[in-house]
Amino acid sequence: MLLAGGVGGARMARGLVGALPPDSLSVIVNIGDDERFHGLTVCPDLDTVIYTLGNVVHAQQGWGVAGDTANALGMLRKLGAADTWMHLGDGDIGLHLFRAQCLAEGASLTSITARIAKALKVKAAVMPASDDPAPTLIETDEGSQRFQQWFVQQRAQPAVRALRYMTDEARLSGAAAQALAEADLIVIAPSNPLLSILPMLALPGFRDALAKTRAQRVAVSPLIGGRAIKGPLDRMLGDLAIGEGNAAIATLYGDLLDRLVIDESDHADVDRLKAAGVPQVQLAATRIGDRAAATELARAVLLASGVELNHDVWRTA
Ligand code: FO1
């Protein structure tokens, strides 16, 4: 079972699918980035995980559909539509039209996501953390921004003064609660904790489910040498005075972890992390450069957890 958001989360999911019997993996995905564009509900983290596991993702970008055209977006721009800074390809819009139709018919985001994953030949169970909208708002000196407005339109430049997880009206979905209760191992992907993981932990019932589960709970740090591999995390930690490096990650996850996986180049952090209360610290190669690296990292995490590996994959690689 994986908790994921963003491109780092999708790549970790792909690594786990390479190391496990695919139908033994559930991926609970952040919905705090979800936003409406042109009347359609866009779920970037769900779609990025599904496109990645369905092997159709635009690999260099990490999101969107490989080889996608942008004719619809071109027409929207010609018509002077708002928010065309969010690059939505034609194939991607096809998926958003399908999701909008299903939502209009009263289907839950969980059931729609399962249908999309099946249609795109994704074997892992991919599910939203909640069926209810729970947007993440970014407070900057210019006021409160929707996530994509800050992340994409403003390229995450404005300093973050606070984050608001609008989760009061939302609930942990039944499917996600069940997956958390039944898991043997819960891996928190090397996603941005502030933008992809904490929005899920803020959902009523999520932290409680993580505290009560019998599963081992392992997080992979998204930082190497205190630097984010991708995205604004290290700058945000500074803006929000949360600390830096792996110690800041341990602080953010608090007592929800049984083990923190950090990059082998950060071996000097081990004693300090244990002194700060992290029960176990594992060293691994956490840079997910390509599919092989993602599978290698997944195997290292699974082996340390004593989880039965998918040996024929093991032999072939
Ligand atoms: N990221 C960008 O930097 N620019 C974009 O225009 C953009 C469009 C987009 C469309 C659909 C989608 O699923 C993701 C998209 N992303 C884009 C990535 C997205 O903003 C991020 O992946 C997440 O929201 C944060 O991880």
Side-chain angles (χ1 to χ4, degrees), residues 30-33 132-139 144-145 147 150 160 162-170 192-204 207 233 236-237 240 242 252-253:
N30 173 44
I31 49 146
D33 298 5
D132 311 308
T136 297
L137 296 184
I138 313 281
E139 302 290 339
S144 183
Q145 319 236 0
F147 179 89
W150 174 76
V160 177
L163 291 163
R164 281 175 46 213
Y165 306 132
M166 308 299 284
T167 54
D168 293 355
E169 311 296 310
N192 181 325
L194 298 168
L195 298 180
S196 298
I197 308 297
L198 266 61
M200 292 196 273
L201 297 181
L203 288 162
R207 274 184 183 275
L233 175 57
M236 293 177 71
L237 290 173
L240 293 164
I242 292 173
L252 288 171
Y253 292 142

Side-chain angles (χ1 to χ4, degrees), residues 14-303:
R14 191 172 54 196
L16 286 164
V17 163
L20 282 170
D23 57 359
S24 67
L25 177 67
S26 300
V27 188
I28 299 181
V29 182
N30 173 44
I31 49 146
D33 298 5
D34 296 4
E35 224 164 289
R36 288 179 67 76
F37 288 93
H38 319 300
L40 303 173
T41 301
V42 176
C43 304
D45 284 350
L46 278 169
D47 300 343
T48 296
V49 169
I50 286 173
Y51 290 151
T52 301
L53 296 185
N55 295 311
V56 294
V57 75
H58 185 302
Q60 185 263 334
Q61 274 174 180
W63 50 266
V65 180
D68 212 351
T69 49
N71 299 309
L73 189 63
M75 177 56 80
L76 283 163
R77 285 184 175 143
K78 202 173 285 179
L79 296 168
D83 298 342
T84 54
W85 42 263
M86 186 73 168
H87 186 98
L88 295 171
D90 295 328
D92 199 24
I93 288 176
L95 184 145
H96 304 314
L97 287 168
F98 176 79
R99 179 186 284 128
Q101 177 64 32
C102 294
L103 286 169
E105 290 163 359
S108 70
L109 188 59
T110 296
S111 64
I112 298 167
T113 304
R115 285 174 67 184
I116 293 170
K118 188 160 182 269
L120 295 186
K121 313 264 184 294
V122 173
K123 293 210 178 30
V126 182
M127 62 192 80
S130 173
D131 283 322
D132 311 308
T136 297
L137 296 184
I138 313 281
E139 302 290 339
T140 68
D141 294 338
E142 289 87 54
S144 183
Q145 319 236 0
R146 301 180 340 235
F147 179 89
Q148 298 301 339
Q149 204 177 16
W150 174 76
F151 189 83
V152 176
Q153 189 184 29
Q154 306 192 9
R155 290 192 311 287
Q157 289 311 307
V160 177
R161 299 298 170 222
L163 291 163
R164 281 175 46 213
Y165 306 132
M166 308 299 284
T167 54
D168 293 355
E169 311 296 310
R171 277 181 320 110
L172 171 66
S173 73
Q178 189 179 346
L180 288 166
E182 292 174 357
D184 302 312
L185 170 67
I186 295 173
V187 179
I188 298 179
S191 310
N192 181 325
L194 298 168
L195 298 180
S196 298
I197 308 297
L198 266 61
M200 292 196 273
L201 297 181
L203 288 162
F206 203 112
R207 274 184 183 275
D208 197 34
L210 263 188
K212 277 193 315 205
T213 181
R214 59 184 175 75
Q216 273 186 74
R217 301 155 307 171
V218 182
V220 179
S221 174
L223 297 175
I224 297 183
R227 311 288 304 153
I229 299 153
K230 184 179 169 66
L233 175 57
D234 38 18
R235 190 156 37 84
M236 293 177 71
L237 290 173
D239 291 345
L240 293 164
I242 292 173
E244 56 184 23
N246 291 318
I249 305 302
T251 304
L252 288 171
Y253 292 142
D255 60 359
L256 290 175
L257 290 191
D258 298 310
R259 186 164 82 247
L260 179 63
V261 183
I262 63 175
D263 192 75
E264 46 214 9
S265 62
D266 285 332
H267 52 80
D269 291 352
V270 174
D271 295 342
R272 201 151 53 106
L273 288 165
K274 284 189 173 163
V278 179
Q280 289 174 37
V281 180
Q282 176 184 355
L283 294 174
T286 59
R287 188 178 299 278
I288 303 184
D290 56 16
R291 183 179 296 228
T295 305
E296 213 39 55
L297 173 58
R299 279 196 191 124
V301 172
L302 292 166
L303 267 179

